[in-house]
Amino acid sequence: MIDPMAGVGDASGPVPGSDATGGEGKDIFDAGAASHNTKAIDRIRSFMGIVSGCVAGILGLTGLEGLVCFLVLHLVVSVALLAKMNFDLREYSRQSLLAFLVADLQKCGMSFMLFW
């Protein structure tokens, strides 16, 4: 069955091109999909923390150089995730752009230091 709230279906549903929520001004949000997206991003960033710690250790980056390496690689991975999402963050997450870019810094930083 096609979901009438999605603006798709037979003629008794919402008019195509109109607001898919029936005029309430709210978008449709799937909590299960949002949870899945958050977990996938969390796994990617945790792996990034481990890999960047290994890279910084192998290259002999110590002190501020190692911290800069972690921050740069964290931003690169965050931008790569945004590119995978076609830079449409609202479609996949409820976070602002700044919150998305700095999310999980502490947790990934701990993984980074463990493998540094």
Side-chain angles (χ1 to χ4, degrees), residues 29 37 41 45 78 81-101:
F29 184 72
N37 292 340
I41 291 170
R45 285 187 171 154
S78 294
L81 287 170
L82 281 172
K84 181 74 173 170
M85 292 186 260
N86 294 323
F87 296 97
D88 189 12
L89 185 60
R90 288 286 173 199
E91 187 72 24
Y92 297 92
S93 174
R94 295 289 181 175
Q95 295 176 324
S96 68
L97 181 61
L98 181 62
F100 179 78
L101 291 176

Side-chain angles (χ1 to χ4, degrees), residues 35-83:
S35 175
H36 172 72
N37 292 340
T38 302
K39 287 178 185 177
I41 291 170
D42 184 50
R43 281 192 309 266
I44 291 168
R45 285 187 171 154
S46 293
F47 186 69
M48 181 277 316
I50 293 169
V51 170
S52 63
C54 291
V55 167
I58 290 170
L59 294 177
L61 302 175
T62 58
L64 288 178
E65 294 169 342
L67 178 64
V68 169
C69 173
F70 168 70
L71 292 175
V72 166
L73 289 175
H74 185 81
L75 285 176
V76 166
V77 168
S78 294
V79 170
L81 287 170
L82 281 172

Side-chain angles (χ1 to χ4, degrees), residues 11-34:
S12 65
V15 178
S18 67
D19 186 11
T21 61
E24 298 169 3
K26 298 180 182 176
D27 57 347
I28 298 172
F29 184 72
D30 185 2

